[in-house]
Amino acid sequence: MARESSFNKKSRAVLLVVLGLFSIGQLFPLVWLIDFSLCKSGDVYGANILKIPNPPQFINYYLAWRDGKIPQYFINSVIVNVTSVLLVVLFSLMMGYAFVRMEWKWSNKVLTYVLLGLMIPIHATLLPNFVIFRQLKMLDSYFALIIPYVAFSLPQAVFLMTGFIGSIPRALEESAIIDGCGIFRILFQIILPLSKPAIVTVTVTTFLNTWNEFIMAATYLTSDKFRTLPFSVYNFAGQYASNYAVQFAVMTIVALPSLIVYIALNEQVTKGVTLGAVKG
């Protein structure tokens, strides 16, 4: 018994060491980013992995905010991402309920078709979407980003939502039907409040996927009027020289909303993924 207890303690210690190293590896890029955002631009070429800023160059953040057009790009990012998240949550909730609760002929085949979207790489759709948007005169507009962001986020959101809705007892809906509720009242007054963990998970994952997205934004947007936050980094990159310290400051500012959202809703995200996985 004592030998088994000693073995468990050693296993626990090894596990803590492994998790500690993994945590350091995950957090180091963020520490590195913040560190060099407070250094001079030439410090990035030094031999040290990290460098103590002496003195801290807070002016990098002022230049990032002023010359990187961050306020203008931030508003565009908020418009695109909030709209995309709301549409993904609404569509995934309705589709999840239709696939899990409603009986119709092509339910399983349509669900399989929707989930195939998980395997489609973004790069394969850039040129076809560009041609379609150009013909529809939708290039350089908010819709040029919102439509593909919703399309690429829906498969994962539907996967999470179907797993969670399947865990809700049918008795609640049957009681509502007896009381005279229609399908939309059941969906929005019963299923929607009960699906809060799944909705939070879909909201956070969609936000994280779209907030820092750059490839589609660089392909479909051409004017400052609609550009999103990742373009701020470009304003400090030139053909022969770049201000790396200010670029690091821009990337730190761009990453902050994602970090705040994830830290604030981390518990709900874990709960939503776990409940969906158990049912699946």
Side-chain angles (χ1 to χ4, degrees):
M1 189 67 181
R3 182 178 296 177
E4 184 177 351
S5 177
S6 175
F7 178 77
N8 289 335
K9 287 181 179 178
K10 289 180 180 178
S11 301
R12 181 182 175 83
V14 171
L15 179 62
L16 288 175
V17 170
V18 171
L19 291 177
L21 293 174
F22 184 77
S23 300
I24 292 172
Q26 292 289 313
L27 291 175
F28 179 77
L30 181 62
V31 175
W32 181 72
L33 187 68
I34 297 173
D35 180 41
F36 279 100
S37 71
L38 294 172
C39 294
K40 297 178 181 177
S41 185
D43 292 341
V44 72
Y45 295 109
N48 298 326
I49 298 178
L50 294 175
K51 184 179 178 65
I52 299 176
N54 188 23
Q57 303 295 312
F58 292 108
I59 192 172
N60 293 335
Y61 283 89
Y62 171 73
L63 295 175
W65 186 268
R66 187 192 66 184
D67 299 338
K69 302 179 181 177
I70 285 181
Q72 176 186 346
Y73 293 169
F74 180 81
I75 292 173
N76 290 336
S77 285
V78 169
I79 293 173
V80 170
N81 284 275
V82 169
T83 307
S84 301
V85 168
L86 289 176
L87 290 176
V88 169
V89 169
L90 177 64
F91 290 160
S92 63
L93 178 69
M94 297 173 71
M95 293 169 70
Y97 185 79
F99 289 130
V100 174
R101 289 293 199 255
M102 300 174 70
E103 295 182 2
W104 44 293
K105 186 176 181 181
W106 303 102
S107 173
N108 291 332
K109 292 181 179 178
V110 175
L111 176 59
T112 303
Y113 178 76
V114 171
L115 296 183
L116 282 176
L118 291 168
M119 295 182 283
I120 298 176
I122 291 177
H123 306 84
T125 66
L126 288 177
L127 182 57
N129 283 343
F130 180 85
V131 173
I132 293 172
F133 290 156
R134 184 178 60 183
Q135 292 176 345
L136 296 175
K137 302 186 184 305
M138 290 176 55
L139 286 175
D140 203 27
S141 69
Y142 292 132
F143 290 107
L145 289 184
I146 292 173
I147 292 174
Y149 284 176
V150 172
F152 272 97
S153 301
L154 262 183
Q156 184 185 32
V158 170
F159 176 76
L160 292 170
M161 205 64 80
T162 52
F164 190 85
I165 292 177
S167 66
I168 297 175
R170 287 180 179 270
L172 295 174
E173 299 164 63
E174 292 169 354
S175 300
I177 292 173
I178 293 174
D179 292 339
C181 285
I183 186 170
F184 287 104
R185 286 189 64 188
I186 293 175
L187 181 60
F188 292 108
Q189 293 186 359
I190 296 177
I191 300 299
L192 178 62
L194 294 174
S195 301
K196 181 182 174 183
I199 290 174
V200 172
T201 304
V202 170
T203 299
V204 174
T205 54
T206 303
F207 180 82
L208 295 179
N209 289 336
T210 57
W211 184 259
N212 296 321
E213 198 283 326
F214 182 69
I215 296 176
M216 286 192 281
T219 304
Y220 306 142
L221 301 180
T222 56
S223 69
D224 271 350
K225 183 179 179 182
F226 298 103
R227 282 180 170 170
T228 49
L229 265 182
F231 279 96
S232 297
V233 180
Y234 259 22
N235 291 335
F236 301 98
Q239 184 176 2
Y240 301 105
S242 297
N243 193 336
Y244 292 109
V246 181
Q247 286 182 343
F248 280 40
V250 171
M251 288 186 282
T252 303
I253 295 174
V254 172
L256 274 179
S258 303
L259 288 173
I260 293 172
V261 168
Y262 183 77
I263 292 173
L265 301 175
N266 178 43
E267 186 177 349
Q268 292 290 334
V269 172
T270 306
K271 187 184 299 183
V273 172
T274 305
L275 288 175
V278 169
K279 180 62 183 177

